Amino acid sequence: MAIVTTTEMFKKAYNGGYAIGAFNVNNMEIIQGITEAAIDLKAPLILQVSKGARSYAKHVYLMKLIEAAVADAEQSAGFDLPIAVHLDHGDSFELCKSCIDGGFSSVMIDKSGLPIEENIKITKQVVEYAHDHGVVVEAELGTLAGVEDEVNVSAEDSSYTKPEDVQHFVEETGCDSLAIAIGTSHGAYKFTAAQCTRDPETGKLIPPPLRFDILEEVAKRLPGFPIVLHGSSSVPQEFVDKINKFGGKMPDAVGIPEAQLREAAKMAVCKINIDSDLRLALTACIREHFAEHPDHFDPRQYLKPGREAIRAMVAHKIVDVLGCDGKA
Ligand code: G3H
Ligand code: 13P
Ligand code: ZN
């Protein structure tokens, strides 16, 4: 199967009460770990590429690796894996155009930091070009705390999506999906200690709940329309503990509880973005590997288990968080 858009995936996900995982990719092992889990579980998949990933690995390498993953699914598993290739946090028309011209099936234009009418203007320009080329567009309203690609967005700047804006925005821009801000944020430190309570037994932070009231209100105003959640890593404490045990320093790393993401996936949320958990799985595995095998220096010796750790983590997300196993 060729690379597909998210249109069919989202329609089925919306009606079926599940979400598609959108995983950020930067190299071969990450792409392989994710796609192998999706093949094993017959799960539809979105592989997304940030501006940073594109400058790290180059567009052509990532595109060819993703094409190889599609071919491998066909050849080794005899299975047509539907994969959408998506630009994450596109910050300009030119960047979106370059990804559309370069074979992506979906792009995000993120002008959520601008006043709404300016956001509408640029989003509309991207939508027109994308739709003329058979590509779909994700846009964003509301601002997430944390890091939005290379731009720092401080916690104070974070503002939830205003439900009263969403209909006007979607009608004016013609976008195909909408990312909203309901309390998620990017990175492995999603909340400060002051925003959380602390579990007296484990000493771990317990984050404040997501704003499901905003999600419900948005869903009511946009019936049948796919909603996207960014910043949806759970920051599994087993990875954080392993990183800290084997020489790392990530005190108070905290993410979004998986049960809340599962709840959102049952509602109008059709796409859940995960990047930090991939990084944590890989880093925890490699730190442990070197602690146990200080003599190793062949990258295959630690990248192979790293790839397996990603595969296992993604398989868990597909089954227990997204609920999209068997839906491809
Ligand atoms: O939302 C941002 C993604 O996690 C991408 O991060 O810019 O470090 O590739 P990156
Ligand atoms: P996390 O940092 O929670 O993985 O978010 C990833 C993301 O939103 C990519 O756009
Ligand atoms: Zn994001």
Side-chain angles (χ1 to χ4, degrees):
M1 182 186 279
I3 284 161
V4 299
T5 71
T6 52
T7 309
E8 275 306 303
M9 285 183 192
F10 286 169
K11 207 179 286 171
K12 289 188 194 163
Y14 193 98
N15 294 329
Y18 61 88
I20 317 292
F23 298 94
N24 285 67
V25 297
N26 286 277
N27 68 13
M28 184 183 77
E29 285 76 11
I30 294 174
I31 292 173
Q32 289 176 327
I34 298 165
T35 50
E36 283 165 10
I39 293 167
D40 289 347
L41 292 159
K42 298 210 167 355
L45 183 63
I46 301 168
L47 295 180
Q48 56 186 15
V49 174
S50 70
K51 187 178 171 180
R54 222 165 157 257
S55 62
Y56 170 73
K58 285 195 184 173
H59 182 100
V60 66
Y61 280 87
L62 293 171
M63 202 61 213
K64 295 289 177 199
L65 285 167
I66 294 169
E67 284 167 7
V70 173
D72 183 47
E74 265 172 33
Q75 285 159 18
S76 61
F79 170 58
D80 273 353
L81 177 69
I83 298 185
V85 185
H86 174 77
L87 168 66
D88 191 28
H89 293 288
D91 61 358
S92 66
F93 173 80
E94 291 69 30
L95 175 57
C96 292
K97 179 179 182 302
S98 166
C99 290
I100 293 165
D101 296 345
F104 283 23
S105 60
S106 174
V107 293
M108 175 187 197
I109 176 72
D110 179 2
K111 287 291 168 187
S112 57
L114 294 180
I116 184 163
E117 291 307 320
E118 288 173 51
N119 186 351
I120 288 174
K121 195 172 159 207
I122 299 171
T123 302
K124 203 169 166 179
Q125 189 193 3
V126 172
V127 168
E128 278 166 13
Y129 188 80
H131 286 182
D132 278 349
H133 292 77
V135 169
V136 291
V137 178
E138 174 186 326
E140 180 168 323
L141 260 187
T143 315
L144 273 67
V147 177
E148 299 230 6
D149 225 355
E150 283 149 21
V151 185
N152 270 312
V153 182
S154 71
E156 300 81 65
D157 288 333
S158 95
S159 56
Y160 298 117
T161 303
K162 295 184 181 68
E164 60 274 23
D165 287 343
V166 298
Q167 256 169 313
H168 171 66
F169 184 85
V170 168
E171 279 167 17
E172 284 299 308
T173 60
C175 67
D176 303 279
S177 60
L178 183 68
I180 61 168
I182 60 165
T184 62
S185 68
H186 291 106
Y189 300 88
K190 299 198 183 298
F191 304 98
T192 62
Q195 292 172 298
C196 300
T197 51
R198 208 176 271 278
D199 184 315
E201 274 172 33
T202 61
K204 297 279 188 188
L205 295 178
I206 303 170
L210 295 179
R211 291 288 304 271
F212 280 97
D213 56 323
I214 297 177
L215 174 57
E216 262 174 48
E217 198 51 47
V218 168
K220 217 182 285 171
R221 288 165 194 253
L222 296 175
F225 193 80
I227 300 302
V228 177
L229 283 191
H230 281 249
S232 295
S233 278
S234 306
V235 188
Q237 292 302 301
E238 71 205 78
F239 298 146
V240 175
D241 290 345
K242 210 173 255 187
I243 287 170
N244 287 332
K245 180 174 173 191
F246 295 113
K249 201 171 180 190
M250 299 191 70
D252 284 346
V254 64
I256 311 294
E258 289 187 342
Q260 290 183 40
L261 295 166
R262 182 80 201 96
E263 212 41 51
K266 288 181 185 163
M267 299 167 66
V269 171
C270 294
K271 174 173 180 271
I272 287 188
N273 282 12
I274 296 169
D275 186 4
S276 298
D277 286 355
L278 296 165
R279 299 176 183 198
L280 290 164
L282 187 58
T283 302
C285 180
I286 292 175
R287 279 198 178 279
E288 183 179 35
H289 184 90
F290 277 122
E292 288 170 358
H293 307 281
D295 55 320
H296 281 183
F297 66 99
D298 177 347
R300 292 171 298 187
Q301 289 170 313
Y302 54 88
L303 289 177
K304 190 176 177 195
R307 182 172 61 192
E308 277 310 304
I310 286 177
R311 182 180 182 160
M313 190 278 288
V314 171
H316 161 68
K317 297 281 179 188
I318 287 171
V319 174
D320 297 317
V321 177
L322 304 159
C324 64
D325 48 310
K327 307 294 189 189

